[in-house]
Amino acid sequence: DRRGVARGPDQRPDLGGGYVVTGGTPHRLVLFTFDDGPHPVHTRQILDELDRRAMHAVFFVVARRLAHATGAFAEVDDILRDIAGRGHVIGSHTRDHEILTRLSPHELETQVVGAEELIAGAIGARPWLLRPPGGMHDEAVDGYLAERGYSEVLWTVATEDWLTTDPDVVVANFRRIMVNRERHGTPGGVVVLHDTHPWTVAAFPRIVDWIEARNCELLEGGEELYDVVDDPRIFVVPRPAGVSPSARSPSIVLAPDVLAERQARARTRAEARCGL
C-alpha cells in the first residue's frame, strides 16, 4: 500500500527559498506539473499513467478540497497521501485559488498558511513550492511568500486545458508550443496541466507519446533528447541573501558532466523504445 504519511521529496525544505521559477532552459528538460486537484477520480488516473511511464511530477493542490472533503470528495486526503506515497512532489496552489495580488495582507496569510495547515494535516509535512493562481504575483506577494520560505513556480508551456474540453486541442497546443520553443533554442520548460479535467487525462498520454516519438527523431539525428525530470530541484535555484524575492531564476544550464550523464540515460531509454 503506497498510502500513508509521505516520506518523499515534498518534505524537503531545500525546495524552498529559491528564485521565482520560470522554467527557462536551452536544454530539452521537461517538468510536468498539475494544478487544482486533488480530484476524486481524475488525479488517480493521472497518477496511474505516471506510474506506467515511470515518471514523476509536481501537484499544486487547492487545499480547500481537503477542508470540504465530503460526498464525492470524501477521499481527497487519501489521494493526497497517494500522490506523496508514489514519490511526487506536493506544492500549494493556495487554500481557495484566490488571485493573491487582489488580497489584503490578512487574506493573503489565510490563503497561504491555511493551505499549509490543511496539507500538513493530510501528509504530515508542509509544502515548500507554491504556484500563485493565474500566475499572478507582485512584490508584496513575493515578499510574503519568501518570508514563509517558498519558491514560487510559474511555467513556460501552457497547454490551455482550462480553455477547452477537447483533448485534441490540448495535445495540439502542447505540440505547437514545443515546436516553437525548439525553433527559438529554448525547447524545455515547465508544463502546466490540470488533473481535474477528463480531457487532460485523455491528452496526457498523447503528450508523452509525442515526446517519445520526437526523441526517436532526435536520436537518429544525434541531437539532445527530451528528458522528463523527476525532481523539481533541477529548476529551483537558491536565491542568495539580499536578492529580491521577485527575482526570476536564470536560464537553467546543466554542467557538461551532468548533462552527459542525463542524456546517456535518456538515450538508453529511447534506444529501447525506438528499436535503434
Side-chain angles (χ1 to χ4, degrees):
D1 187 351
R2 288 173 172 166
R3 289 177 290 182
V5 175
R7 301 297 180 202
D10 56 288
Q11 293 199 40
R12 294 192 321 236
D14 64 328
L15 289 171
Y19 285 93
V20 176
V21 175
T22 61
T25 177
H27 304 302
R28 289 188 168 94
L29 298 164
V30 175
L31 175 67
F32 284 109
T33 66
F34 294 90
D35 288 5
D36 291 2
H39 187 275
V41 175
H42 305 317
T43 297
R44 280 207 171 110
Q45 293 174 323
I46 292 290
L47 290 172
D48 290 344
E49 184 62 27
L50 289 165
D51 280 354
R52 282 191 287 272
R53 305 286 185 154
M55 292 165 45
H56 290 89
V58 181
F59 288 79
F60 289 99
V61 304
V62 176
R64 70 162 181 253
R65 294 183 180 272
L66 308 172
H68 304 293
T70 59
F73 286 84
E75 296 185 0
V76 293
D77 279 32
D78 281 345
I79 295 170
L80 195 68
R81 286 189 284 270
D82 199 11
I83 293 170
R86 299 196 200 198
H88 305 287
V89 173
I90 293 171
S92 173
H93 205 29
T94 74
R95 178 186 169 99
D96 298 302
H97 202 271
E98 297 282 350
I99 299 300
L100 299 183
T101 54
R102 300 173 182 169
L103 304 182
S104 69
H106 174 70
E107 291 168 332
L108 177 60
E109 180 179 19
T110 297
Q111 288 301 312
V112 175
V113 178
E116 287 175 20
E117 292 173 346
L118 287 165
I119 293 169
I123 66 170
R126 59 154 285 184
W128 295 94
L129 300 179
L130 185 145
R131 171 166 287 159
M136 301 294 291
H137 64 110
D138 56 21
E139 290 186 1
V141 169
D142 298 338
Y144 178 73
L145 294 178
E147 289 176 5
R148 299 294 304 175
Y150 282 101
S151 295
E152 292 179 69
V153 181
L154 306 180
W155 58 83
T156 47
V157 181
T159 61
E160 297 187 346
D161 59 341
W162 62 93
L163 296 178
T164 182
T165 60
D166 187 343
D168 291 343
V169 173
V170 177
V171 175
N173 286 343
F174 176 82
R175 293 178 60 180
R176 171 180 50 79
I177 294 169
M178 298 303 282
V179 169
N180 186 58
R181 293 187 68 82
E182 283 192 2
R183 290 183 183 137
H184 289 86
T186 55
V190 177
V191 182
V192 60
L193 293 155
H194 294 77
D195 55 315
T196 51
H197 303 318
W199 51 89
T200 301
V201 174
F204 182 60
R206 295 169 56 191
I207 286 172
V208 181
D209 286 345
W210 182 89
I211 290 175
E212 293 181 348
R214 181 69 180 122
N215 270 355
C216 291
E217 298 172 349
L218 296 168
L219 185 65
E220 287 191 278
E223 297 183 59
E224 181 180 323
L225 305 184
Y226 280 101
D227 178 3
V228 178
V229 303
D230 285 350
D231 189 336
R233 281 187 302 176
I234 205 162
F235 284 104
V236 176
V237 179
R239 189 182 69 254
V243 173
S244 168
S246 298
R248 297 195 168 206
S249 61
S251 181
I252 304 302
V253 179
L254 297 182
D257 58 331
V258 174
L259 178 62
E261 181 180 351
R262 296 190 65 93
Q263 282 293 297
R265 292 197 298 268
R267 283 194 299 273
T268 298
R269 293 191 296 267
E271 287 167 354
R273 284 193 305 267
C274 305
L276 298 176

